[in-house]
Amino acid sequence: MWLMAAMVLLLRAMAQDHPEQRCLPVPREPLNQPTSREAVSAWLASSVAARVPRLLPGGTDLLALLQQPQAWWTPSALRRHGARLTHVYTSNQTTFWYNGGGHREVDMNSDEFFDGVADGGQSQYYSGPLDLLGIPRIELQWLCPAANRGEGCPGVDTNLWIGGPNLTTAAHYDAVENAYVMLHGTKRFQLWSPQASMRPFPSWSVSSRHSRLEHQISSHTAEQWSADLMPGDLLYIPPYWWHRVQSGLGGAAVSLSLWHDAAEAAASNSLRQLALPLEPGWSPPRMLCTAGLFAQIVVSRVLAERGCDRSGEEWLADLAAERYLQRRHDVETVCQEAEAVPFQSCAHEEERLKGRSDEQVGVLAGMSAGVWELQLKGWVEAVGYWLTAEYYGG
């Protein structure tokens, strides 16, 4: 059924031609009124509603709203706080992966850290809250990236980034609204929409939010957005948008993120918590058959409601090709074993399962364009992971 069809189609999808890559600048949208905290808040609220990246070229006027002079954010000024840093990442490579290995998280004092940033002998950057660096409390609620802030904008987190020149954060996505302020130095952002075929690692991997295309990113064909940030620039990054970040060649870079929980993240958690229509005591083949048919029904219904012209089997084959393409031997083995599964034994349950799919389809229907497909893929993977553990024993 769906599992067998997806895996068989995977083997036919090993070689694909791709169109030429397009690169679009992130829209630069200055304020149409004098720079103030209220105006920046309104700009962010409209950006959150638009759900596309936007760049506010704020310059010194925006930095002044932080109640500190621009020179206050230079490495020489920051090191004077003398704090001991507990979120320093070091590596012999210039590319960093979140939770993906290749770097160490260490503690060091500020002098040691900033000396390392200056000499460039080893790649290192700080990623952590402002207060861990000993920076006095700054009022930042006006930078909260939320359409409806509420009193005090609950759920907002701040993160300060400090790194040396020519460092790269590998392509990844975050499940948060992100208001990103450049404080010192320069950075270049490359961004891709959630529906871009970025070949993420499987959802249970520690690198699940990263793209497996990092080392081929320059030749990747998905439509790309780009933005070059200068001090005082504010970049809005919507949730689940892929982004890759490079610091400039001219010296250290200092920037600030304000993260706010995305509505899609809560919906994703709700989706994962919905029970599958299975009964205790069923045999593994019956569970495999029923769960597989249920997943195919959900996929087919969602695709139809979104007006997609692909079948459920084609969509599942694309998912398998995107995330498991390298495992040819494993795929061939699974296809052979799948031939022995009596998929037809649960076909009579199709109408019942269609009725039981209303909740999953309803949750996905409320997600924004692009995000729904990323979340549907994660849900199918979760079902597949359960099937593998239950039927194939791990």
Side-chain angles (χ1 to χ4, degrees), residues 13-313:
M14 289 289 180
Q16 301 182 57
D17 293 326
H18 297 285
E20 183 179 353
Q21 184 183 52
R22 295 180 61 212
C23 186
L24 307 173
V26 172
R28 297 177 65 87
E29 301 189 15
L31 299 174
N32 55 11
Q33 57 184 299
T35 303
S36 66
R37 292 184 173 185
E38 293 74 15
V40 174
S41 293
W43 184 93
L44 275 170
S46 65
S47 299
V48 171
R51 273 298 191 271
V52 293
R54 297 173 72 194
L55 176 61
L56 172 60
T60 55
D61 289 344
L62 188 142
L63 291 177
L65 299 179
L66 296 173
Q67 299 178 319
Q68 299 292 344
Q70 184 174 347
W72 198 82
W73 299 104
T74 63
S76 59
L78 290 171
R79 75 186 299 162
R80 289 198 292 267
H81 292 291
R84 185 159 188 82
L85 308 182
T86 58
H87 291 263
V88 176
Y89 299 89
T90 67
S91 175
N92 292 322
Q93 306 172 5
T94 59
T95 299
F96 287 85
W97 298 64
Y98 295 116
N99 302 320
H103 63 258
R104 297 182 301 123
E105 184 174 352
V106 300
D107 297 352
M108 60 177 63
N109 62 48
S110 60
D111 283 337
E112 183 183 4
F113 170 74
F114 285 109
D115 286 344
V117 168
D119 65 35
Q122 186 177 51
S123 300
Q124 61 188 41
Y125 78 92
Y126 169 79
S127 170
L130 287 164
D131 54 4
L132 291 185
L133 198 63
I135 295 175
R137 182 174 178 81
I138 302 174
E139 202 285 298
L140 294 171
Q141 298 302 321
W142 55 280
L143 278 171
C144 174
N148 300 300
R149 288 173 173 74
E151 186 63 33
C153 194
V156 67
D157 292 315
T158 61
N159 196 80
L160 187 69
W161 313 89
I162 308 173
N166 200 28
L167 297 184
T168 299
T169 301
H172 67 286
Y173 69 82
D174 301 305
V176 293
E177 314 278 2
N178 189 352
Y180 195 99
V181 183
M182 199 70 217
L183 301 173
H184 175 81
T186 62
K187 286 189 176 180
R188 168 165 290 182
F189 276 75
Q190 297 167 274
L191 303 103
W192 299 264
S193 72
Q195 61 260 50
S197 180
M198 296 296 289
R199 298 194 183 279
F201 288 90
S203 61
W204 52 83
S205 166
V206 295
S207 301
S208 61
R209 293 188 293 112
H210 275 97
S211 168
R212 288 193 284 123
L213 297 173
E214 175 60 31
H215 301 298
Q216 307 145 306
I217 209 75
S218 61
S219 60
H220 185 44
T221 57
E223 183 173 270
Q224 177 190 138
W225 299 42
S226 65
D228 292 322
L229 270 60
M230 304 290 289
D233 285 347
L234 168 59
L235 175 66
Y236 166 68
I237 307 172
Y240 298 100
W241 273 68
W242 296 91
H243 50 286
R244 183 174 186 261
V245 191
Q246 297 171 286
S247 57
L249 299 176
V254 182
S255 49
L256 176 69
S257 277
L258 280 88
W259 294 319
H260 191 270
D261 293 339
E264 291 91 343
S268 174
N269 292 335
S270 299
L271 181 64
R272 301 294 182 91
Q273 292 170 8
L274 293 174
L276 295 175
L278 309 175
E279 298 294 337
W282 280 2
S283 66
R286 185 178 181 187
M287 286 192 174
L288 173 63
C289 176
T290 304
L293 178 58
F294 182 69
Q296 187 185 47
I297 288 170
V298 171
V299 169
S300 297
R301 285 191 61 188
V302 171
L303 293 179
E305 293 193 9
R306 292 279 179 170
C308 299
D309 58 1
R310 287 179 292 170
S311 68
E313 289 85 353

